Amino acid sequence: MEYFKEFEVKVETECVIRSCNECDGNDVLEVLGTAHRETDFPLTYPGE
């Protein structure tokens, strides 16, 4: 299933939500790693 939606958020910044593809793999892993390190209430720990 493909998903794509554009909308404006505060201060006229454009936001795009779309389905990921194989080119997004490294970026997704980086965001997940950052989220794990920055949360105070992890359901999992980095490296899991």
Side-chain angles (χ1 to χ4, degrees):
M1 182 170 92
E2 293 290 319
Y3 185 82
F4 186 90
K5 183 173 182 171
E6 286 186 49
F7 55 93
E8 285 189 21
V9 292
K10 292 183 180 181
V11 194
E12 300 178 6
T13 301
E14 184 177 293
C15 180
V16 176
I17 298 176
R18 63 172 175 80
S19 301
C20 62
N21 58 43
E22 61 274 356
C23 296
D24 298 323
N26 289 333
D27 293 330
V28 170
L29 288 175
E30 183 179 328
V31 168
L32 287 174
T34 300
H36 273 116
R37 286 189 300 277
E38 293 180 356
T39 185
D40 291 332
F41 305 103
L43 296 176
T44 60
Y45 294 94
E48 286 189 318

